[in-house]
Amino acid sequence: MNTVATRVGDLLCAIDTPALVLDLDAFERNMKKMADFARVAGIRLRPHAKTHRSATIALRQIELGAVGQCCQKVGEAEALVRGGVRDVLVSNQVLDMQKLRRLAGLAKEAKISLCFDAVEQVDAASRAAQEFGVELGALVEIDMGMWRCGVPPGEPAAALALHIAASPGLRFDGLQAYEGKAQHLKTYAERAAAIQVASEAVQQSIDAIRRAGLECEVIGGGGTGTFMFEGASRLWTELQCGSYIFMDGEYAAIEGNDGQPYAEFEHSLFVLSTVMSTAGKGRVIVDAGLKSYTLEKGLPGIEGQPKARLVAASDEHGTVALLAPDAGIALGARLKLIPSHCDPTVNLHDDYVCVRNGRVEAIWPVSARGASH
């Protein structure tokens, strides 16, 4: 959290650090590339707001053709609808009646949908929708092998779909089929093979649901590492990619179809830090630590600094090892750290400091920060 206000018009060197900095040119190129892909492929784009947690960014994605947003939490949906988004899928299961009533309240202002893998969830959502006199969209989530949520594909999916279709206040829309574990498989061929297996589960479920007399208007899934496969499948109807707008270290570690580092999208999100100490030999210390980025996917990289590497972090400090005597990183230098995982890193900050040509152009709030309920 910045204690000294950064202002629109400030130069990069005047930004109070640590700060979450967004390179607007790279960010806009990333957004446009995915929007263009979806349009050419004939597939709807519903970006995942758990990545950016920002109604401001959501509306920019919608301006480029996205049909709406998906998110994981009711609190995120509330922040998006308050910010003007009018079509939100909670791509998760919700059982608690208080949360379901909050969603039903949102459905008076926007199209709201959610996912199911149990009849108890369906019955609870139906009660909430009836209480508020609204209709909630419903997707059956199928288990894609993530060891997470979802019913088995095929007949179990069809049975739950029939239960939804018979439940007042709910509208059966189709399937949630996100193959999350495929996103970070190292090679292009591994990811292609994983989505081929996922396609078989999706087709099995579509066929079973059709035999039951229902149709799937929506097949949702896809991610930043596999969107090209779902987009070409003619099975999925909506892409739910999130990290493509920012990229991060975890996605940079996979390979493209040429065997080279994944280059579909550019790094646009950074934690800007300042070198606060050069007293130690062979290292410098920056003012961004665990309160500025997360480490569950590894330490951040450093943009444009091949002779330096972040090697340790504590609450308020990051230790940068100098890999060569001529690394040239002086006291007071600004270093742009590349988060290893953008989603939880964003949740540590109040604002995006949006920069173009070395100057602050805008400051956007992380409007769903902390919305974990």
Side-chain angles (χ1 to χ4, degrees), residues 234-248:
R234 302 303 176 190
L235 286 176
W236 279 265
T237 67
E238 290 189 356
L239 292 175
Q240 299 175 348
C241 313
S243 301
Y244 73 97
I245 56 173
F246 297 148
M247 279 292 286
D248 58 23

Side-chain angles (χ1 to χ4, degrees), residues 11 117 260 263 295 343:
L11 293 171
D117 66 3
Q260 298 301 308
L295 298 188
D343 301 16

Side-chain angles (χ1 to χ4, degrees), residues 305-317:
Q305 292 289 348
K307 297 179 180 180
R309 184 173 71 245
L310 192 70
V311 294
S314 53
D315 286 356
E316 311 291 357
H317 302 84

